[in-house]
């Protein structure tokens, strides 16, 4: 399972804090992608990026699709990864269905989204466990050091 998250940190001083501010979350901090197993244990964490980075963009920069294909693995993802994997015959990343104002979801699509959400629950638990580390809220360092620190916590 794959997901992206913002780890809220303290504000950095100077001009470096602007790119670490998320208008969506109204917080400062780096953005990470993570892969978890079916139990929610973190397997891999991406490099820290500006929190303005979208999940799809971060996955493309990490060549995540190619790495998953090479390993013969697949991943469940939320709607933030919609459009990343356009291979209809052999998808690597499975996302849910998206409703619009003009096209409502059918009962089968709603059921599929529910089953996907139940299957993705462990990735949210993995992120919750990661965010329990109180030291992460005190980080005021550059993203490269935050990456090293988070990967050290992973092992």
């Amino acid at each position: 399972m794959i997901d992206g998250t913002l780890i809220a940190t303290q504000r950095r001083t100077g001009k470096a804090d602007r790119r670490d501010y998320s208008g969506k979350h109204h917080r400062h901090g780096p953005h990470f992608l993570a892969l978890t197993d079916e139990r929610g244990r973190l397997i891999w964490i991406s490099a820290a990026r500006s929190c303005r980075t979208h999940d799809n963009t971060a996955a493309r920069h990490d060549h995540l699709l190619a790495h998953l294909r090479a390993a013969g693995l697949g991943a469940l993802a939320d709607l933030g990864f919609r459009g990343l994997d356009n291979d209809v015959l052999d998808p690597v990343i499975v996302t849910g269905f998206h409703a619009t104002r003009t096209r409502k979801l059918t009962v089968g699509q709603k059921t599929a989204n529910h089953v996907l959400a139940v299957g993705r629950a462990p990735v949210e638990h993995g992120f919750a466990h990661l965010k329990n580390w109180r030291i992460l809220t005190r980080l005021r360092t550059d993203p490269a050091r935050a990456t090293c620190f988070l990967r050290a916590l992973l092992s």
Side-chain angles (χ1 to χ4, degrees):
M1 290 168 266
I2 184 171
D3 203 2
T5 190
L6 167 92
I7 296 185
T9 60
Q10 289 184 349
R11 180 180 176 183
R12 293 175 64 192
T13 58
K15 292 183 180 180
D17 73 322
R18 282 291 179 206
R19 62 189 173 108
D20 290 335
Y21 181 76
S22 171
K24 176 183 175 183
H25 299 287
H26 303 289
R27 301 252 187 265
H28 287 82
H31 177 265
F32 289 95
L33 286 180
L35 283 172
T36 63
D37 63 1
E38 65 277 355
R39 290 185 171 178
R41 292 180 298 219
L42 293 168
I43 298 171
W44 173 80
I45 293 179
S46 72
R49 292 201 165 69
S50 169
C51 61
R52 297 178 182 186
T53 306
H54 193 271
D55 290 342
N56 265 349
T57 306
R60 284 189 182 110
H61 283 292
D62 287 333
H63 305 285
L64 193 59
L65 213 57
H67 291 300
L68 286 173
R69 274 194 209 286
L73 297 174
L76 298 178
D78 60 2
L79 291 177
F81 290 93
R82 207 170 29 113
L84 180 65
D85 188 9
N86 293 327
D87 189 1
V88 179
L89 298 176
D90 187 25
V92 173
I93 295 180
V94 178
T95 60
F97 295 97
H98 178 67
T100 62
R101 279 190 272 172
T102 58
R103 191 182 63 81
K104 304 297 180 201
L105 294 180
T106 64
V107 175
Q109 290 173 333
K110 287 181 183 180
T111 305
N113 278 354
H114 178 72
V115 169
L116 184 66
V118 169
R120 283 193 65 258
V123 75
E124 302 298 338
H125 293 290
F127 273 133
H129 176 70
L130 180 68
K131 290 180 180 183
N132 279 340
W133 289 88
R134 191 170 175 195
I135 188 104
L136 292 176
T137 62
R138 305 275 190 254
L139 280 179
R140 292 182 68 176
T141 184
D142 64 331
R145 287 192 178 181
T147 301
C148 293
F149 186 70
L150 220 57
R151 286 184 177 165
L153 287 176
L154 179 64
S155 55

